Amino acid sequence: MTAYAIAHLRPADGPVEDEVLDYIERIQATFEPYGGRFLVHGGEAEVVEGAWPGAVVMVGFPGVAEARAWYASPAYQEILPLRTRHLDGDVVIVPGVGPEYDASATAAAMRAARDRTAQEVQRARDRTAQEV
């Protein structure tokens, strides 16, 4: 199942540092061996809810294993400080969903789990009340 490495990078004060430009020049070569490719690379985000200072970068991979392997790879770890020394950001790896995905089924599973937890909490309270 496709996976994504998503970065939310906040702008630095001042001009772009040479190290950041070096990082940008070198990053693509680090994820290509893992089947990664840019899907989004710093375009202007249209903020429709909340605040979003900064840029979005999204790289698609064949799966979570490939995305993790890329991030941990010596090639990427070598260039990572070129960015982190100058830009604050958050990076996540998330699995994608397939064409058969149904959000209503996810909601139903979440509702059932919530209800089971509530029932377990109530049973524990009832036992505690009986013991007192």
Side-chain angles (χ1 to χ4, degrees), residues 101-116:
Y101 178 76
D102 180 355
S104 62
T106 299
M110 292 171 71
R111 182 173 283 115
R114 179 201 62 195
D115 294 348
R116 278 192 305 275

Side-chain angles (χ1 to χ4, degrees), residues 26-95:
R26 296 170 61 188
I27 188 172
Q28 189 165 337
T30 69
F31 58 67
E32 285 177 342
Y34 301 93
R37 68 179 189 87
F38 277 115
L39 301 174
V40 176
H41 194 210
E44 284 294 317
E46 178 181 344
V47 180
V48 295
E49 287 186 36
W52 193 276
V56 178
V57 177
M58 184 183 306
V59 179
F61 290 90
V64 171
E66 292 86 351
R68 287 179 181 151
W70 159 72
Y71 190 86
S73 71
Y76 185 66
Q77 290 300 307
E78 179 184 322
I79 68 166
L80 182 57
L82 299 175
R83 175 181 58 78
T84 59
R85 281 195 285 263
H86 304 285
L87 297 175
D88 290 330
D90 304 297
V91 178
V92 296
I93 294 172
V94 295

